[in-house]
Amino acid sequence: MGRERSGAAMPSQPVSAVGEEPDERSASRATPSSTRLTLYLIGRVVLMLAGIAVMALGIDVIVKANLGNSPISATPNVLSLAFPAISFGTFMLAWQCFLVLVQVAILRKDFRPVDLLQIPISVFFGVCIDVFMAWLGDAAPASYGVSWLWIAVGMAILALGIVMTVVSGTVMNCGEAVVQAVVTKTGIRFGTGKVCFDLSCAALAIICSFAFMGHLAGVREGTIVCAACTGLIVNAYMAVYGKVRALVAARRGLVEDEPVPLLAAEEEGAA
């Protein structure tokens, strides 16, 4: 009685006049929000998968340049050359699993179990690499100078795919997830962390090459350039994304309940 007098009606029940049916509009208001959130999440997943595919295309273009593999695949490639009985794909999958362990070591209790989805995503990544490699076929640069043009195009495509996976806010490829873990713990820019990670991968590939084969193999000047420059291109893309995102937000007007997650990498790119 006291609560009724004070006007503390049940919050889930709409107040209506006597004899009128309850207002069904209030009950249906949650449906558009739920549908919108579902579509939003689906869009994020599609963006992530598209980013993985774009990354695979970029790597294949770099490989076709014949100036060395991209840093993320350099170590598995060297190991496959040193131990031909084991396929490159097997070494690549083992490398990706190792990178997941690196994330666990960096993040510790902050590592999310959902990030174990990186392993099946790595399978999708490998399939995309094979598909695009078959699509490119026998395409190859006609000269050393053109090879560098292929490297530049490949890096631009690879960096775009990386940005797409980061912006998706879902599960990233293992290599980029390691970089994001470092960004989370140190606060450095994503592109800067990407450069450090790529240089480390290239250095490890060189060490493995000399340790297991006695000479340099699978790593060339293109690998080093990719290691040094891909992250810088990522920084440039993230800066453009940040400006576009801010412009769109200003024109639309953000509502508080609108799902607009901000990753650390997005914030750094917008800065």
Side-chain angles (χ1 to χ4, degrees):
M1 293 288 293
R3 282 183 295 184
E4 291 175 355
R5 290 190 187 120
S6 63
M10 295 296 290
S12 60
Q13 267 318 97
V15 179
S16 57
V18 178
E20 291 183 358
E21 293 294 328
D23 188 359
E24 295 181 357
R25 288 178 299 175
S26 59
S28 64
R29 282 172 188 165
T31 304
S33 298
S34 300
T35 303
R36 185 180 183 185
L37 180 59
T38 300
L39 293 175
Y40 175 83
L41 294 176
I42 291 174
R44 289 276 172 169
V45 172
V46 170
L47 179 61
M48 179 269 294
L49 293 176
I52 294 294
V54 171
M55 286 176 59
L57 177 59
I59 288 176
D60 286 349
V61 172
I62 292 171
V63 170
K64 285 291 185 179
N66 295 321
L67 292 178
N69 283 343
S70 61
I72 186 65
S73 60
T75 297
N77 180 57
V78 168
L79 292 175
S80 67
L81 295 175
F83 304 99
I86 304 176
S87 70
F88 172 62
T90 302
F91 275 119
M92 192 67 187
L93 180 57
W95 171 249
Q96 301 273 30
C97 292
F98 170 74
L99 292 180
V100 173
L101 294 178
V102 171
Q103 295 170 55
V104 174
I106 294 174
L107 295 173
R108 298 179 183 272
K109 63 180 181 179
D110 294 328
F111 181 82
R112 305 175 305 171
V114 70
D115 288 330
L116 292 174
L117 290 173
Q118 293 170 42
I119 296 176
I121 288 174
S122 297
V123 177
F124 173 72
F125 185 48
V127 170
C128 288
I129 287 178
D130 290 341
V131 168
F132 286 125
M133 190 62 75
W135 177 64
L136 290 171
D138 297 329
S143 64
Y144 185 74
V146 177
S147 292
W148 281 111
L149 178 60
W150 280 56
I151 287 286
V153 172
M155 285 192 299
I157 297 173
L158 176 59
L160 177 61
I162 291 170
V163 170
M164 291 169 68
T165 60
V166 172
V167 169
S168 73
T170 53
V171 181
M172 293 185 287
N173 188 42
C174 296
E176 280 58 58
V178 169
V179 177
Q180 183 61 40
V182 174
V183 168
T184 301
K185 289 298 182 179
T186 64
I188 65 174
R189 297 184 69 185
F190 185 89
T192 304
K194 175 64 177 172
V195 170
C196 295
F197 174 75
D198 284 350
L199 289 174
S200 299
C201 289
L204 180 60
I206 292 172
I207 292 172
C208 290
S209 180
F210 281 106
F212 296 115
M213 304 180 68
H215 60 88
L216 187 62
V219 180
R220 289 187 56 182
E221 58 269 34
T223 304
I224 306 302
V225 171
C226 287
C229 297
T230 302
L232 301 179
I233 301 174
V234 169
N235 274 346
Y237 281 150
M238 292 298 291
V240 173
Y241 165 74
K243 293 178 181 178
V244 172
R245 188 176 186 278
L247 179 62
V248 171
R251 296 189 65 177
R252 287 175 52 195
L254 294 178
V255 245
E256 290 183 359
D257 61 346
E258 183 177 0
V260 185
L262 280 174
L263 299 177
E266 292 184 50
E267 294 173 340
E268 289 294 338

